Amino acid sequence: IKDAMDRIPSLILNSYTTLLEGQATKENMKLLGKRFTENFLNYLGLEYHDPDQELDPNFYIFLAFGESNMEGQGYIERQDRLNISDRFKMMPAVDFPSKQRYKGNWYTAVPPLCRETSGLSPCDYFGRELVNNLPEEITVGIINVAVPGCSIDLFDQDLCQNYLASAADWLQNFAKSYNNDPYQSLIDAAKIAQKDGVIKGVLLHQGETNNGDPNWPGKVKKIYDKMLNDLGLNGNDVALLVGETVNADVGGACSLHNNVIANIPNVIPNSYVIKSNGLAHKGDGLHFTSESYRIFGKRYAEVMLNVLRGEGN
């Protein structure tokens, strides 16, 4: 912080030299303030958001939430850090201090995308596949909020606090990074993102902890509907993509829940199931391998591309 403060005089000078001398108009003074703020944030490694800049309709934003598989349990390999387009962005909902990423700002989507200690997730290759198949003027942004081992109740603000009160210490510790309200952390980040672009979809992977719960689709609908309301969105314009748990064909420990997930399109309009058949797990029957996350992310993207083209499934 001291180094940053010591830089302020030179930043002010550099900002001022961008303006014409003798023209201290109200507009120029406003520009001076913007230039200084931009220079200062750039010095700190952050991106500057011009409050007067209109949102870009070609910036497609996607919200992701769930438990461990959405967080990402895949080992991040060299290939996952290479050739990532600057058209694929991520906004952390929590700070990544060791990676100099801070919540509320956009960065190129180099994994991890959820928290600084998380792994490869479906979001990674979802975004890559979208930018590879959308026109060059389209930018894709992702915001991922996920808590390992959580029930869907953690994202229901009416139930969240009671759920956490009896949750295991390790789960409570994960929730603390989201101020004990992961749903609100996602909404807060989404509202910042809406100043830059347009929310086009919601990605969900959750259900292992609710394995076989017949009430799960209704619980998801409640959260999704609240999300739409809180963000001023229309469900016709914001598809919900729900991924299956590890499938029975590869020995999934919670594959029973896929029968429940299959009911989602009957409960929520403009929702789609992303199949997990053939995707290998890490040996625990719960978490996908890195290669499976890559394929799974592309499957999410294929469905979303069809939705964006007006073709649905």
Side-chain angles (χ1 to χ4, degrees), residues 63-139:
L63 310 181
F65 73 106
E67 54 183 315
S68 54
N69 275 311
M70 183 55 80
E71 177 203 32
Q73 299 294 313
Y75 180 74
I76 300 171
E77 300 175 356
R78 185 171 181 269
Q79 63 178 300
D80 304 316
R81 294 190 174 97
L82 298 177
N83 304 314
I84 300 173
S85 170
D86 60 5
R87 292 169 48 219
F88 180 26
K89 306 286 189 183
M90 63 83 71
M91 177 186 286
V94 296
D95 292 337
F96 290 28
S98 69
K99 300 182 183 302
Q100 295 186 325
R101 297 183 189 175
Y102 301 93
K103 62 183 179 181
N105 296 279
W106 291 111
Y107 304 89
T108 301
V110 179
L113 304 186
C114 184
R115 283 186 306 279
E116 61 183 353
T117 57
S118 57
L120 200 68
S121 81
C123 296
D124 290 282
Y125 282 79
F126 168 78
R128 287 187 179 215
E129 189 73 3
L130 284 186
V131 298
N132 287 340
N133 289 277
L134 289 170
E136 289 187 1
E137 65 269 19
I138 302 297
T139 297

Side-chain angles (χ1 to χ4, degrees), residues 218-251:
K219 294 178 179 182
V220 172
K221 184 178 189 304
K222 179 183 177 184
I223 295 164
Y224 172 69
D225 287 348
K226 188 174 192 307
M227 193 178 294
L228 295 176
N229 183 69
D230 289 348
L231 296 172
L233 301 171
N234 187 322
N236 294 327
D237 303 322
V238 183
L240 174 66
L241 278 56
V242 183
E244 291 184 333
T245 62
V246 176
N247 206 277
D249 65 355
V250 294

Side-chain angles (χ1 to χ4, degrees), residues 172-186:
Q172 290 181 6
N173 287 334
F174 278 115
K176 284 177 184 176
S177 64
Y178 298 114
N179 296 318
N180 296 317
D181 193 344
Y183 173 87
Q184 193 59 51
S185 291
L186 181 59

